[in-house]
Amino acid sequence: MHRTSSSARAVILAFALTLGFLRVPLSQSAPPDKTKGFFPVSVWYPGGKARAPMLETVTPQSRETWKKDIDQIKRLGFNTVRTWIEWTACERTEGKYDFSALELLTDLAGEAGLRVIIQVYIDSAPDWVEARHPDSKFVSSNGVAVESQAAPGFCFDHAGVQDKILRFFKAAARAVKGKPAFYGWDLWSEPHIINWAEVTYVGDLSSVQFCYCHSTQARFREWLKKKYVTIDALNKAWYRTLRAWDEVEPPRFGTILTFTDYIDWKEFISDKLAEDLALKAAAVKSVLPDTVVTSHSAGPGIFTRPDWSGTPDDRKMSDSVDFYGASIYPKHAWTIKPWSPTYRSSGLDFVRSMGIGNGGFYIGELQAGYGVFGMKMSMPVVGTDIRDWMWSAVAYGARAVNIYAYYPMSTGYEAGGYGLVELDGKVTERAEAGGRVARVITANKDLFLKAQPARAEIAILYNPLSHMVGGQQSFTGEGQTVGVNNLSESLQGVHRAFFERNIPVDFLHVRDLGTARAAGYKLIIAPYPVMMSQPHVKALADYVRDGGTLLTEARCGWVDEKGFSSPVIPGGGLHEVLGCREIELTPLAKTGVIEVKVADEVIPLLKPGDKLDSLFFEESFDVFGPASRVLATFPDGRPAIVAAPFGKGRAVIAGSFLGSAYHHFKNPNNGKFFAGLAECLKIAPPVRVTASAPDAVVEGRLLQGDGYALLFGFNRGEKPVTAKFAVKTDGVRAAAANLETGEAVTVARDGDRAVVEKALKPGEVWVVRIDGR
């Protein structure tokens, strides 16, 4: 029986720390430049028409055939090829590596003047692994061992498997060492515990968890030893009577007693995924120390939950690589309607925010063609889509855009979908549109690489624990749908209020509370704050005491990180900060009403009599602070929104979930409630947008460099509109030019702002360089 080698893992993780991975929480210091002076704009192409993660076998004809594709990719305007390697194809026999496809493609790319990024797949594995390590199979929480069919491979926690995988990474690095075209890696595509396999025979995948093999259980015990030190401390936390560490196992179901064990298990899983990624990064950097290492999630983490089996924490993963990112599929086959502008914006802002410490993020996969999933099809993807999606990524601070894929999927349940060109090689108008954008990015890469998104003065707190109330028995309340991502909807609703006003916001992970970065925000909004660790509660109190403004919602700090209810709600002492405590909680079958009762500086966009939508609960308060103010009430007069000073700052609490209500029902007053605090704090949008139509959806984004700004104007609506964009500049004079055409743009002045104007068609993007003088 192989056991996880904790000593070997510690050595490699120590090496990862020396490389800068698994960093401490973020400070306010300027992010490092990890780009090596290059901005990759790539298409996924492995040589031939095999769909990822599969590979074609190299033949005498491969060079000629692949060269035609490579040359076409170059002619279109892309500067990089994103190829892939896969464990099954590249190590068919143990210890005998075949990277001939990688080597040939890298040489061909170099001849064409393209760079190469390598995607590594170890989620499918050669069959010899099972013969060599029969005890390395994934095991579900109900005790079923997963038989690999190439996918999903074998458990990385098994010492023998882990050793073989890290050797594979090092061998791949040696294969491209010294090749000028090689640029960097994506070490893990869409990380999960189980990937590329729907193992439904083990049970209901919505409730079955992974991995319960002996190796992962041993690693979990080591994690618990670091946290609790003694078995007695663990027993106290878990309400157990275990006699020794080797009796400890992960929880398999929930009980009425406690769910601390489940919280520990899920925290371990997200820590483990980040550590696994760091191990892979350390492996390739042991051969190529200066290489760029990246990875990307299946989608922005704002739309996922940590209690979904094997889901990564984007903030933790960002610490393990130079750049982390996400797959972006706005017209995926799962839905007929494409992503809405607000949905996509919140996702991009989330990915950007989780990687702030890296100075940018990667779009690991950007949809190239229409989506396919069996008989499910998406709407067509056209050139204006590709153009919009690419420029949106750049406008939000991406440091690479990787389009998936050059050819449509040639096989599998996605056959025929997601291709930039046709399967016979015919070039599409969307390929040409993407290539034109790529040319502009490449020609102006220094402008993009030396600029950052406009600094946000507002942070929306991302607290993964809020997903975990009740543990495995997380029943929903009245008016809630089972399986709905309540935290995500609250985050999206709050974000929407500022998106509509072009006010930039960051998402702040709770692990960054108490840092200089957190202290730099004028306003922190904590939506859906129902479960929060005591150190994070204290950090919020300190933030307000030191002069910050906090806005939060119902049942703030109700349950702590151990699953224990606070004796007073708001919990952890926040009732003192907020000047009130919960006196009554009433569930809502549908939406309710909150009515503004007074004019107040913290709600300048609302007036007495205005009504807001409430959702899920009505939490009324006993208001005890001498300076506390009741701003709004429920229909029966119970206090619903309370504001209070605390220390040098102030805090506001709403006794319902106004962010989620805004996400669902779009009551303008809910948006004004959140946005009003920006006006109260004199937070102005870096780009002021005025449109010719009152119902227009026009977004202005800004990248700011030294003495220049890059303005991105997007018409997100379905009607033509003329829009004015007013941008603050350093000097009294300003010059502007269309970055794509080079044509001069007329600049007017409005105080300290340069104003440019453009008639925009539906879906149109306008990119302008503005120089202040």
Side-chain angles (χ1 to χ4, degrees):
M1 297 278 287
H2 286 86
R3 296 291 178 185
T4 304
S5 174
S6 58
S7 59
R9 182 178 295 108
V11 170
I12 300 176
L13 284 174
F15 178 59
L17 281 166
T18 67
L19 295 171
F21 301 131
L22 298 177
R23 292 180 295 276
V24 296
L26 297 175
S27 70
Q28 196 76 344
S29 59
D33 181 10
K34 303 179 180 182
T35 63
K36 313 296 183 187
F38 185 64
F39 194 122
V41 188
S42 83
V43 293
W44 283 60
Y45 175 77
K49 299 179 181 179
R51 68 144 301 150
M54 302 165 74
L55 288 168
E56 287 188 3
T57 301
V58 176
T59 69
Q61 292 76 40
S62 294
R63 168 174 273 275
E64 180 181 359
T65 303
W66 297 4
K67 185 178 186 304
K68 291 179 181 178
D69 289 336
I70 292 289
D71 289 345
Q72 181 61 62
I73 291 168
K74 173 70 173 180
R75 280 194 296 272
L76 283 169
F78 298 95
N79 62 27
T80 303
V81 173
R82 186 181 179 112
T83 189
W84 59 84
I85 56 175
E86 188 255 352
W87 196 14
T88 299
C90 297
E91 194 182 357
R92 295 178 181 276
T93 302
E94 182 178 357
K96 295 183 179 180
Y97 304 106
D98 178 8
F99 295 114
S100 55
L102 171 63
E103 292 166 341
L104 174 57
L105 185 133
T106 304
D107 290 341
L108 289 170
E111 293 169 11
L114 298 174
R115 305 297 298 273
V116 173
I117 294 175
I118 303 171
Q119 177 70 64
V120 185
Y121 289 108
I122 54 90
D123 304 284
S124 53
D127 292 325
W128 60 260
V129 177
E130 180 178 358
R132 183 78 167 81
H133 305 293
D135 60 333
S136 65
K137 298 175 184 177
F138 290 107
V139 178
S140 64
S141 52
N142 58 352
V144 179
V146 176
E147 302 296 333
S148 183
Q149 299 171 185
F154 302 90
C155 186
F156 186 75
D157 293 333
H158 187 282
V161 171
Q162 185 176 118
D163 177 67
K164 298 298 187 299
I165 288 173
L166 297 180
R167 286 176 184 269
F168 180 77
F169 275 95
K170 293 175 183 178
R174 288 191 291 270
V176 293
K177 187 175 184 179
K179 291 188 178 292
F182 170 71
Y183 176 71
W185 308 84
D186 189 304
L187 302 168
W188 201 350
S189 173
E190 303 182 346
H192 284 82
I193 301 297
I194 289 266
N195 239 352
W196 314 126
E198 296 291 323
V199 289
T200 52
Y201 75 92
V202 307
D204 180 2
L205 294 181
S206 66
S207 59
V208 170
Q209 304 174 65
F210 292 96
C211 177
Y212 285 71
C213 72
H214 66 83
S215 300
T216 300
Q217 293 202 44
R219 186 169 172 182
F220 182 45
R221 292 184 195 106
E222 293 302 314
W223 185 91
L224 291 169
K225 287 177 184 178
K226 290 179 181 178
K227 178 173 182 176
Y228 291 107
V229 182
T230 68
I231 194 69
D232 288 340
L234 175 75
N235 280 330
K236 183 177 180 181
W238 284 20
Y239 198 73
R240 301 289 291 278
T241 57
L242 300 163
R243 296 165 296 179
W245 284 107
D246 60 7
E247 294 181 2
V248 178
E249 292 189 355
R252 299 174 189 270
F253 54 88
T255 73
I256 200 172
L257 304 176
T258 178
F259 56 94
T260 309
D261 52 357
Y262 181 69
I263 298 169
D264 282 340
W265 173 239
K266 289 302 178 181
E267 188 74 12
F268 159 75
I269 290 295
S270 66
D271 281 353
K272 173 190 125 55
L273 290 170
E275 288 181 3
D276 291 351
L277 181 56
L279 290 169
K280 295 169 184 177
V284 296
K285 281 187 173 279
S286 69
V287 178
L288 297 168
D290 295 327
T291 191
V292 176
V293 292
T294 76
S295 178
H296 68 281
S297 285
I302 187 176
F303 307 133
T304 67
R305 297 173 57 111
D307 52 347
W308 292 346
S309 185
T311 301
D313 182 314
D314 289 2
R315 175 65 182 84
K316 293 180 182 179
M317 300 296 274
S318 292
D319 275 353
S320 296
V321 285
D322 294 319
F323 295 104
Y324 195 70
S327 294
I328 302 293
Y329 287 87
K331 287 187 174 181
H332 199 283
W334 284 113
T335 177
I336 294 177
K337 292 184 178 180
W339 288 6
S340 70
T342 54
Y343 185 89
R344 179 152 48 105
S345 177
S346 66
L348 287 172
D349 263 336
F350 188 89
V351 177
R352 175 188 59 79
S353 298
M354 296 302 106
I356 277 180
N358 291 334
F361 63 96
Y362 264 40
I363 299 297
E365 302 175 33
L366 182 65
Q367 185 173 354
Y370 71 93
V372 176
F373 196 94
M375 287 296 291
K376 290 178 68 68
M377 310 285 178
S378 78
M379 297 295 287
V381 174
V382 296
T384 53
D385 291 327
I386 296 293
R387 177 177 162 75
D388 175 14
W389 300 343
M390 291 177 71
W391 279 129
S392 293
V394 175
Y396 279 69
R399 289 296 183 252
V401 177
N402 300 278
I403 296 178
Y404 187 91
Y406 184 64
Y407 280 116
M409 305 299 96
S410 56
T411 186
Y413 54 74
E414 294 176 329
Y418 304 103
L420 194 64
V421 302
E422 303 295 353
L423 199 51
D424 64 358
K426 180 183 177 181
V427 173
T428 64
E429 60 92 21
R430 63 181 178 274
E432 292 173 340
R436 286 193 293 270
V437 174
R439 282 196 196 95
V440 176
I441 294 172
T442 301
N444 298 277
K445 63 180 176 61
D446 288 341
L447 289 177
F448 294 112
L449 294 177
K450 294 178 181 178
Q452 286 287 336
R455 182 174 177 270
E457 298 180 277
I458 300 170
I460 304 172
L461 192 66
Y462 173 62
N463 174 30
L465 267 183
S466 286
H467 288 293
M468 307 286 284
V469 173
Q472 288 157 286
Q473 301 182 117
S474 54
F475 304 110
T476 56
E478 293 294 330
Q480 295 171 272
T481 304
V482 175
V484 165
N485 194 332
N486 296 319
L487 174 60
S488 175
E489 293 175 350
S490 292
L491 295 169
Q492 291 178 62
V494 175
H495 181 275
R496 181 189 187 100
F498 297 102
F499 168 84
E500 292 169 339
R501 294 161 175 82
N502 281 284
I503 298 174
V505 295
D506 291 340
F507 289 97
L508 181 71
H509 197 290
V510 285
R511 73 191 311 224
D512 294 318
L513 284 172
T515 66
R517 176 189 166 196
Y521 294 109
K522 290 183 178 180
L523 170 64
I524 292 179
I525 302 175
Y528 202 74
V530 292
M531 185 171 181
M532 191 175 295
S533 75
Q534 291 305 292
H536 296 149
V537 167
K538 181 181 183 302
L540 281 177
D542 290 342
Y543 165 78
V544 179
R545 182 183 290 109
D546 293 339
T549 297
L550 172 67
L551 170 60
T552 191
E553 295 186 315
R555 308 230 89 189
C556 184
W558 164 30
V559 181
D560 69 13
E561 69 273 26
K562 298 177 182 178
F564 285 82
S565 179
S566 175
V568 177
I569 302 171
L574 284 177
H575 66 291
E576 298 288 349
V577 177
L578 292 155
C580 62
R581 62 177 290 171
E582 178 183 290
I583 194 171
E584 184 177 71
L585 186 74
T586 306
L588 290 171
K590 296 182 179 179
T591 183
V593 175
I594 293 175
E595 182 175 340
V596 176
K597 290 298 181 181
V598 298
D600 194 276
E601 63 177 354
V602 300
I603 49 171
L605 304 182
L606 297 171
K607 63 184 183 301
D610 284 344
K611 292 181 172 59
L612 292 77
D613 290 336
S614 58
L615 194 64
F616 304 153
F617 299 125
E618 289 182 348
E619 180 190 38
S620 57
F621 303 106
D622 174 18
V623 181
F624 57 79
S628 299
R629 295 145 12 234
V630 177
L631 308 183
T633 65
F634 296 113
D636 59 3
R638 291 171 299 146
I641 299 177
V642 177
F646 182 75
K648 299 177 182 178
R650 59 187 146 193
V652 182
I653 186 168
S656 193
F657 300 111
L658 304 191
S660 187
Y662 193 46
H663 170 76
H664 284 285
F665 309 119
K666 316 297 188 298
N667 181 341
N669 287 336
N670 284 54
K672 291 177 181 179
F673 171 70
F674 292 108
L677 272 168
E679 183 165 314
C680 170
L681 295 167
K682 296 179 170 55
I683 298 172
V687 183
R688 287 181 179 151
V689 179
T690 54
S692 58
D695 59 345
V697 183
V698 179
E699 181 182 10
R701 296 288 298 197
L702 206 63
L703 293 179
Q704 296 175 320
D706 185 8
Y708 69 93
L710 299 173
L711 168 69
F712 301 81
F714 300 92
N715 182 359
R716 304 294 192 192
E718 299 178 354
K719 299 177 182 178
V721 65
T722 297
K724 291 182 180 180
F725 302 88
V727 179
K728 190 172 183 179
T729 56
D730 295 331
V732 295
R733 299 179 60 194
N738 185 314
L739 195 68
E740 295 182 278
T741 66
E743 296 175 352
V745 173
T746 301
V747 180
R749 297 296 308 185
D750 182 6
D752 61 351
R753 291 178 178 255
V755 182
V756 293
E757 184 175 352
K758 173 69 172 174
L760 297 169
K761 300 174 184 176
E764 187 175 354
V765 186
W766 189 40
V767 186
V768 179
R769 172 176 175 167
I770 301 174
D771 293 286
R773 296 195 294 241

mmCIF file of all heavy atoms in Angstrom, residues 670-700:
data_model
loop_
_atom_site.group_PDB
_atom_site.id
_atom_site.type_symbol
_atom_site.label_atom_id
_atom_site.label_comp_id
_atom_site.label_asym_id
_atom_site.label_seq_id
_atom_site.Cartn_x
_atom_site.Cartn_y
_atom_site.Cartn_z
ATOM 1 N N ASN A 670 -33.739 49.457 -5.060
ATOM 2 C CA ASN A 670 -32.707 48.611 -4.473
ATOM 3 C C ASN A 670 -31.331 49.016 -4.982
ATOM 4 O O ASN A 670 -30.351 49.079 -4.223
ATOM 5 C CB ASN A 670 -32.974 47.145 -4.791
ATOM 6 C CG ASN A 670 -34.083 46.549 -3.951
ATOM 7 O OD1 ASN A 670 -35.185 47.078 -3.919
ATOM 8 N ND2 ASN A 670 -33.813 45.439 -3.275
ATOM 9 N N GLY A 671 -31.251 49.292 -6.292
ATOM 10 C CA GLY A 671 -29.981 49.748 -6.849
ATOM 11 C C GLY A 671 -29.553 51.081 -6.272
ATOM 12 O O GLY A 671 -28.369 51.298 -5.973
ATOM 13 N N LYS A 672 -30.504 51.994 -6.077
ATOM 14 C CA LYS A 672 -30.185 53.299 -5.503
ATOM 15 C C LYS A 672 -29.708 53.181 -4.059
ATOM 16 O O LYS A 672 -28.896 53.986 -3.595
ATOM 17 C CB LYS A 672 -31.426 54.207 -5.569
ATOM 18 C CG LYS A 672 -31.814 54.626 -6.976
ATOM 19 C CD LYS A 672 -33.089 55.469 -6.947
ATOM 20 C CE LYS A 672 -33.516 55.878 -8.342
ATOM 21 N NZ LYS A 672 -34.775 56.674 -8.328
ATOM 22 N N PHE A 673 -30.240 52.189 -3.337
ATOM 23 C CA PHE A 673 -29.805 51.979 -1.957
ATOM 24 C C PHE A 673 -28.301 51.712 -1.902
ATOM 25 O O PHE A 673 -27.572 52.324 -1.109
ATOM 26 C CB PHE A 673 -30.585 50.817 -1.348
ATOM 27 C CG PHE A 673 -30.072 50.368 -0.004
ATOM 28 C CD1 PHE A 673 -30.227 51.166 1.116
ATOM 29 C CD2 PHE A 673 -29.438 49.144 0.138
ATOM 30 C CE1 PHE A 673 -29.752 50.759 2.363
ATOM 31 C CE2 PHE A 673 -28.961 48.724 1.372
ATOM 32 C CZ PHE A 673 -29.123 49.534 2.482
ATOM 33 N N PHE A 674 -27.824 50.798 -2.750
ATOM 34 C CA PHE A 674 -26.391 50.479 -2.750
ATOM 35 C C PHE A 674 -25.568 51.628 -3.331
ATOM 36 O O PHE A 674 -24.551 52.041 -2.762
ATOM 37 C CB PHE A 674 -26.145 49.198 -3.545
ATOM 38 C CG PHE A 674 -26.709 47.967 -2.906
ATOM 39 C CD1 PHE A 674 -27.830 47.339 -3.441
ATOM 40 C CD2 PHE A 674 -26.137 47.431 -1.771
ATOM 41 C CE1 PHE A 674 -28.367 46.215 -2.847
ATOM 42 C CE2 PHE A 674 -26.665 46.296 -1.162
ATOM 43 C CZ PHE A 674 -27.781 45.685 -1.704
ATOM 44 N N ALA A 675 -25.993 52.151 -4.483
ATOM 45 C CA ALA A 675 -25.214 53.176 -5.173
ATOM 46 C C ALA A 675 -25.189 54.488 -4.396
ATOM 47 O O ALA A 675 -24.255 55.283 -4.553
ATOM 48 C CB ALA A 675 -25.769 53.399 -6.569
ATOM 49 N N GLY A 676 -26.195 54.726 -3.555
ATOM 50 C CA GLY A 676 -26.235 55.968 -2.799
ATOM 51 C C GLY A 676 -25.033 56.147 -1.905
ATOM 52 O O GLY A 676 -24.572 57.282 -1.684
ATOM 53 N N LEU A 677 -24.515 55.058 -1.374
ATOM 54 C CA LEU A 677 -23.348 55.174 -0.508
ATOM 55 C C LEU A 677 -22.131 55.654 -1.286
ATOM 56 O O LEU A 677 -21.248 56.312 -0.726
ATOM 57 C CB LEU A 677 -23.064 53.831 0.166
ATOM 58 C CG LEU A 677 -23.823 53.610 1.488
ATOM 59 C CD1 LEU A 677 -23.732 52.165 1.928
ATOM 60 C CD2 LEU A 677 -23.287 54.534 2.565
ATOM 61 N N ALA A 678 -22.043 55.309 -2.579
ATOM 62 C CA ALA A 678 -20.947 55.830 -3.391
ATOM 63 C C ALA A 678 -21.039 57.351 -3.476
ATOM 64 O O ALA A 678 -20.026 58.061 -3.368
ATOM 65 C CB ALA A 678 -20.983 55.209 -4.788
ATOM 66 N N GLU A 679 -22.260 57.869 -3.676
ATOM 67 C CA GLU A 679 -22.436 59.323 -3.724
ATOM 68 C C GLU A 679 -22.135 59.947 -2.364
ATOM 69 O O GLU A 679 -21.485 60.989 -2.279
ATOM 70 C CB GLU A 679 -23.854 59.655 -4.164
ATOM 71 C CG GLU A 679 -24.104 61.145 -4.307
ATOM 72 C CD GLU A 679 -25.364 61.446 -5.085
ATOM 73 O OE1 GLU A 679 -25.565 60.821 -6.144
ATOM 74 O OE2 GLU A 679 -26.142 62.310 -4.636
ATOM 75 N N CYS A 680 -22.584 59.290 -1.308
ATOM 76 C CA CYS A 680 -22.323 59.783 0.046
ATOM 77 C C CYS A 680 -20.827 59.907 0.306
ATOM 78 O O CYS A 680 -20.364 60.870 0.929
ATOM 79 C CB CYS A 680 -22.970 58.841 1.060
ATOM 80 S SG CYS A 680 -22.525 59.132 2.770
ATOM 81 N N LEU A 681 -20.061 58.951 -0.195
ATOM 82 C CA LEU A 681 -18.616 58.916 0.029
ATOM 83 C C LEU A 681 -17.837 59.630 -1.061
ATOM 84 O O LEU A 681 -16.616 59.548 -1.105
ATOM 85 C CB LEU A 681 -18.158 57.459 0.146
ATOM 86 C CG LEU A 681 -18.708 56.698 1.350
ATOM 87 C CD1 LEU A 681 -18.456 55.191 1.210
ATOM 88 C CD2 LEU A 681 -18.090 57.222 2.643
ATOM 89 N N LYS A 682 -18.555 60.318 -1.959
ATOM 90 C CA LYS A 682 -17.939 61.085 -3.044
ATOM 91 C C LYS A 682 -17.060 60.199 -3.940
ATOM 92 O O LYS A 682 -15.950 60.571 -4.323
ATOM 93 C CB LYS A 682 -17.142 62.267 -2.483
ATOM 94 C CG LYS A 682 -18.014 63.295 -1.751
ATOM 95 C CD LYS A 682 -17.181 64.432 -1.196
ATOM 96 C CE LYS A 682 -18.081 65.572 -0.679
ATOM 97 N NZ LYS A 682 -19.087 65.125 0.311
ATOM 98 N N ILE A 683 -17.582 59.034 -4.246
ATOM 99 C CA ILE A 683 -16.907 58.111 -5.165
ATOM 100 C C ILE A 683 -17.489 58.339 -6.552
ATOM 101 O O ILE A 683 -18.666 58.076 -6.794
ATOM 102 C CB ILE A 683 -17.100 56.651 -4.727
ATOM 103 C CG1 ILE A 683 -16.485 56.423 -3.339
ATOM 104 C CG2 ILE A 683 -16.494 55.699 -5.755
ATOM 105 C CD1 ILE A 683 -16.789 55.055 -2.746
ATOM 106 N N ALA A 684 -16.662 58.850 -7.445
ATOM 107 C CA ALA A 684 -17.120 59.184 -8.799
ATOM 108 C C ALA A 684 -16.640 58.137 -9.790
ATOM 109 O O ALA A 684 -15.565 57.563 -9.625
ATOM 110 C CB ALA A 684 -16.589 60.559 -9.210
ATOM 111 N N PRO A 685 -17.422 57.873 -10.823
ATOM 112 C CA PRO A 685 -16.963 56.921 -11.848
ATOM 113 C C PRO A 685 -15.779 57.490 -12.620
ATOM 114 O O PRO A 685 -15.776 58.683 -12.958
ATOM 115 C CB PRO A 685 -18.188 56.757 -12.752
ATOM 116 C CG PRO A 685 -18.990 57.995 -12.552
ATOM 117 C CD PRO A 685 -18.757 58.413 -11.127
ATOM 118 N N PRO A 686 -14.763 56.698 -12.911
ATOM 119 C CA PRO A 686 -13.629 57.191 -13.704
ATOM 120 C C PRO A 686 -14.033 57.557 -15.128
ATOM 121 O O PRO A 686 -13.398 58.394 -15.758
ATOM 122 C CB PRO A 686 -12.639 56.026 -13.681
ATOM 123 C CG PRO A 686 -13.459 54.827 -13.356
ATOM 124 C CD PRO A 686 -14.577 55.305 -12.510
ATOM 125 N N VAL A 687 -15.107 56.917 -15.617
ATOM 126 C CA VAL A 687 -15.672 57.255 -16.921
ATOM 127 C C VAL A 687 -17.142 57.621 -16.704
ATOM 128 O O VAL A 687 -17.935 56.768 -16.299
ATOM 129 C CB VAL A 687 -15.569 56.086 -17.918
ATOM 130 C CG1 VAL A 687 -16.108 56.515 -19.284
ATOM 131 C CG2 VAL A 687 -14.141 55.589 -18.047
ATOM 132 N N ARG A 688 -17.469 58.870 -16.969
ATOM 133 C CA ARG A 688 -18.870 59.278 -16.897
ATOM 134 C C ARG A 688 -19.492 59.087 -18.273
ATOM 135 O O ARG A 688 -18.991 59.599 -19.261
ATOM 136 C CB ARG A 688 -18.982 60.733 -16.461
ATOM 137 C CG ARG A 688 -18.660 60.963 -14.991
ATOM 138 C CD ARG A 688 -18.824 62.423 -14.616
ATOM 139 N NE ARG A 688 -18.543 62.631 -13.203
ATOM 140 C CZ ARG A 688 -18.074 63.761 -12.697
ATOM 141 N NH1 ARG A 688 -17.849 64.795 -13.494
ATOM 142 N NH2 ARG A 688 -17.846 63.875 -11.410
ATOM 143 N N VAL A 689 -20.583 58.336 -18.307
ATOM 144 C CA VAL A 689 -21.219 57.998 -19.577
ATOM 145 C C VAL A 689 -22.597 58.640 -19.637
ATOM 146 O O VAL A 689 -23.395 58.509 -18.702
ATOM 147 C CB VAL A 689 -21.347 56.471 -19.741
ATOM 148 C CG1 VAL A 689 -22.022 56.136 -21.060
ATOM 149 C CG2 VAL A 689 -19.976 55.802 -19.667
ATOM 150 N N THR A 690 -22.850 59.345 -20.728
ATOM 151 C CA THR A 690 -24.202 59.834 -21.000
ATOM 152 C C THR A 690 -24.610 59.317 -22.369
ATOM 153 O O THR A 690 -23.813 59.341 -23.314
ATOM 154 C CB THR A 690 -24.253 61.376 -20.977
ATOM 155 O OG1 THR A 690 -23.274 61.906 -21.883
ATOM 156 C CG2 THR A 690 -23.984 61.898 -19.583
ATOM 157 N N ALA A 691 -25.825 58.823 -22.452
ATOM 158 C CA ALA A 691 -26.300 58.203 -23.691
ATOM 159 C C ALA A 691 -27.527 58.933 -24.213
ATOM 160 O O ALA A 691 -28.285 59.561 -23.452
ATOM 161 C CB ALA A 691 -26.629 56.733 -23.455
ATOM 162 N N SER A 692 -27.733 58.829 -25.519
ATOM 163 C CA SER A 692 -28.843 59.531 -26.164
ATOM 164 C C SER A 692 -30.191 58.909 -25.851
ATOM 165 O O SER A 692 -31.225 59.560 -26.012
ATOM 166 C CB SER A 692 -28.628 59.546 -27.684
ATOM 167 O OG SER A 692 -28.529 58.204 -28.181
ATOM 168 N N ALA A 693 -30.216 57.676 -25.390
ATOM 169 C CA ALA A 693 -31.467 56.995 -25.046
ATOM 170 C C ALA A 693 -31.458 56.642 -23.563
ATOM 171 O O ALA A 693 -30.462 56.118 -23.056
ATOM 172 C CB ALA A 693 -31.644 55.736 -25.882
ATOM 173 N N PRO A 694 -32.557 56.920 -22.842
ATOM 174 C CA PRO A 694 -32.560 56.669 -21.393
ATOM 175 C C PRO A 694 -32.446 55.198 -21.026
ATOM 176 O O PRO A 694 -31.977 54.866 -19.936
ATOM 177 C CB PRO A 694 -33.905 57.255 -20.941
ATOM 178 C CG PRO A 694 -34.757 57.268 -22.174
ATOM 179 C CD PRO A 694 -33.820 57.518 -23.309
ATOM 180 N N ASP A 695 -32.872 54.302 -21.919
ATOM 181 C CA ASP A 695 -32.819 52.877 -21.612
ATOM 182 C C ASP A 695 -31.579 52.205 -22.201
ATOM 183 O O ASP A 695 -31.486 50.982 -22.234
ATOM 184 C CB ASP A 695 -34.069 52.171 -22.119
ATOM 185 C CG ASP A 695 -34.261 52.318 -23.626
ATOM 186 O OD1 ASP A 695 -33.597 53.189 -24.229
ATOM 187 O OD2 ASP A 695 -35.092 51.576 -24.203
ATOM 188 N N ALA A 696 -30.622 52.993 -22.665
ATOM 189 C CA ALA A 696 -29.401 52.435 -23.256
ATOM 190 C C ALA A 696 -28.551 51.755 -22.188
ATOM 191 O O ALA A 696 -28.544 52.154 -21.016
ATOM 192 C CB ALA A 696 -28.600 53.528 -23.941
ATOM 193 N N VAL A 697 -27.826 50.730 -22.591
ATOM 194 C CA VAL A 697 -26.882 50.054 -21.704
ATOM 195 C C VAL A 697 -25.499 50.249 -22.313
ATOM 196 O O VAL A 697 -25.056 49.500 -23.189
ATOM 197 C CB VAL A 697 -27.203 48.553 -21.560
ATOM 198 C CG1 VAL A 697 -26.241 47.904 -20.566
ATOM 199 C CG2 VAL A 697 -28.644 48.353 -21.125
ATOM 200 N N VAL A 698 -24.821 51.301 -21.864
ATOM 201 C CA VAL A 698 -23.499 51.646 -22.379
ATOM 202 C C VAL A 698 -22.492 51.539 -21.245
ATOM 203 O O VAL A 698 -22.699 52.126 -20.169
ATOM 204 C CB VAL A 698 -23.467 53.061 -22.980
ATOM 205 C CG1 VAL A 698 -22.063 53.391 -23.492
ATOM 206 C CG2 VAL A 698 -24.490 53.188 -24.105
ATOM 207 N N GLU A 699 -21.442 50.792 -21.467
ATOM 208 C CA GLU A 699 -20.401 50.605 -20.447
ATOM 209 C C GLU A 699 -19.133 51.311 -20.882
ATOM 210 O O GLU A 699 -18.706 51.204 -22.035
ATOM 211 C CB GLU A 699 -20.116 49.117 -20.224
ATOM 212 C CG GLU A 699 -19.052 48.872 -19.162
ATOM 213 C CD GLU A 699 -18.717 47.398 -18.968
ATOM 214 O OE1 GLU A 699 -19.174 46.574 -19.785
ATOM 215 O OE2 GLU A 699 -17.984 47.075 -18.006
ATOM 216 N N GLY A 700 -18.528 52.037 -19.955
ATOM 217 C CA GLY A 700 -17.220 52.634 -20.188
ATOM 218 C C GLY A 700 -16.211 52.039 -19.228
ATOM 219 O O GLY A 700 -16.408 52.099 -18.012
#
